[in-house]
């Protein structure tokens, strides 16, 4: 499988995908026709135009899957697929409704390069259970694409010891998840991403990642760390007993 899973599409002080555009251009085939899935946001046309504007300088032809009225045909004619960020629940609901969920799974397993950012990176995991988003709609299931056998938490935030906010930290929420489920969770900080090429997975980008396992201490993963063992995870959900 050929995956590029970005924590975020917009870095503070920089334009859309600007922090990762060289990586994106290197990941995609030359002069690629890219099928963009904009369903995580409400305005599909504006979202597609933003992605098109960010990538046109790299020679990438961006086509929104909603353009032309047949998302499956747009996917079938593409050289790669990019699922963008926004609300993960709205996105997953649309993937089910359009039939794209099953179509993307098959296409990527057959070799189509897959790029995700934020909610699109959430989609690569087995389930939606480690998203940060509010459930603004109810998808038919929490089952996502399952392109990797472990969970991902994009936009991972470290606890701020100086904060007076008394809500749960991200680490506490992921710990609660692991009390009920036995599956690794990769926390991708802003500016980081996961690259999967065949049987090799590597932490890349500008910041380290953080790996959570049930019953263990979270582990820092420096940029360049090989995490290929995660590709052989055997997830167990609803495993509290």
């Amino acid at each position: 499988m050929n995956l590029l899973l970005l924590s975020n599409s917009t870095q503070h002080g920089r334009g859309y995908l600007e922090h990762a555009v060289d990586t994106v251009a290197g990941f995609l085939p030359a002069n690629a026709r890219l099928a963009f899935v904009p369903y995580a946001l409400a305005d599909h046309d504006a979202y597609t135009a933003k992605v098109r504007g960010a990538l046109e300088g790299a020679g990438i032809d961006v086509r929104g899957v909603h353009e032309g009225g047949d998302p499956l045909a747009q996917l079938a004619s593409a050289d790669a697929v990019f699922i963008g960020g926004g609300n993960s629940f709205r996105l997953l609901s649309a993937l089910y409704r359009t039939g794209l969920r099953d179509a993307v799974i098959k296409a990527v397993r057959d070799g189509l390069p897959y790029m995700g950012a934020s909610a699109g990176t959430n989609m690569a995991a087995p389930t939606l259970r480690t998203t940060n988003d509010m459930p603004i709609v109810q998808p038919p299931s929490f089952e996502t694409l399952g392109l990797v056998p472990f969970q991902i938490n994009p936009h991972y935030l470290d606890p701020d010891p100086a904060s007076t906010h008394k809500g749960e930290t991200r680490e506490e929420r992921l710990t609660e998840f692991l009390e009920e489920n036995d599956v690794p969770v990769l926390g991708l900080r802003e500016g980081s991403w996961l690259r999967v090429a065949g049987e090799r997975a590597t932490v890349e980008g500008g910041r380290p990642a953080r790996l959570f396992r049930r019953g263990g201490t979270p582990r820092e993963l420096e940029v360049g760390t090989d995490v290929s063992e995660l590709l052989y995870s055997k997830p167990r959900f609803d495993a509290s007993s």
Side-chain angles (χ1 to χ4, degrees):
M1 227 173 283
N2 193 10
L3 314 175
L4 177 61
L5 304 177
L6 305 168
S7 176
N8 52 301
S9 53
T10 303
Q11 192 81 349
H12 177 70
R14 308 187 75 177
Y16 186 84
L17 285 177
E18 186 180 354
H19 70 293
V21 69
D22 290 341
T23 296
V24 171
F27 169 73
L28 297 174
N31 302 311
R33 177 167 174 165
L34 180 66
F36 175 60
V37 180
Y39 297 140
L41 295 184
D43 191 335
H44 302 158
D45 289 337
Y47 199 2
T48 301
K50 176 185 284 190
V51 176
R52 186 173 289 131
L55 296 179
E56 62 185 355
I60 298 165
D61 180 15
V62 176
R63 308 287 181 90
V65 294
H66 67 293
E67 297 173 333
D70 189 347
L72 300 184
Q74 290 281 24
L75 179 69
S77 65
D79 300 309
V81 60
F82 173 33
I83 300 186
N87 185 275
S88 297
F89 291 89
R90 174 160 53 192
L91 171 58
L92 183 57
S93 182
L95 292 180
Y96 274 101
R97 184 175 64 251
T98 59
L100 275 172
R101 177 181 174 271
D102 289 343
V104 169
I105 291 171
K106 183 179 186 307
V108 175
R109 288 179 177 169
D110 286 345
L112 188 74
Y114 177 97
M115 185 169 82
S118 188
T121 290
N122 276 324
M123 293 302 108
T127 81
L128 200 59
R129 298 186 192 201
T130 52
T131 180
N132 306 314
D133 296 333
M134 181 178 290
I136 62 173
V137 297
Q138 183 169 315
S141 168
F142 280 179
E143 291 186 12
T144 45
L145 302 177
L147 304 178
V148 295
F150 53 91
Q151 291 295 121
I152 303 174
N153 179 242
H155 306 286
Y156 176 76
L157 284 172
D158 294 290
D160 179 1
S163 175
T164 58
H165 177 66
K166 293 302 180 183
E168 294 171 315
T169 66
R170 191 68 54 77
E171 182 170 331
E172 287 171 335
R173 289 182 174 179
L174 295 180
T175 298
E176 289 173 348
F177 168 81
L178 290 170
E179 289 169 352
E180 302 292 335
N181 305 278
D182 187 2
V183 52
V185 183
L186 183 65
L188 291 176
R189 295 182 175 94
E190 299 283 272
S192 64
W193 53 82
L194 180 71
R195 181 73 175 91
V196 179
E199 297 181 357
R200 181 177 173 82
T202 313
V203 173
E204 298 183 1
R207 299 182 67 193
R210 193 162 173 82
L211 181 63
F212 296 81
R213 292 184 184 272
R214 191 179 194 187
T217 301
R219 186 173 69 137
E220 285 293 298
L221 303 175
E222 296 300 323
V223 173
T225 299
D226 186 324
V227 290
S228 302
E229 76 277 2
L230 294 179
L231 299 176
Y232 301 94
S233 301
K234 303 293 185 184
R236 291 195 310 126
F237 295 97
D238 302 312
S240 57
S241 59

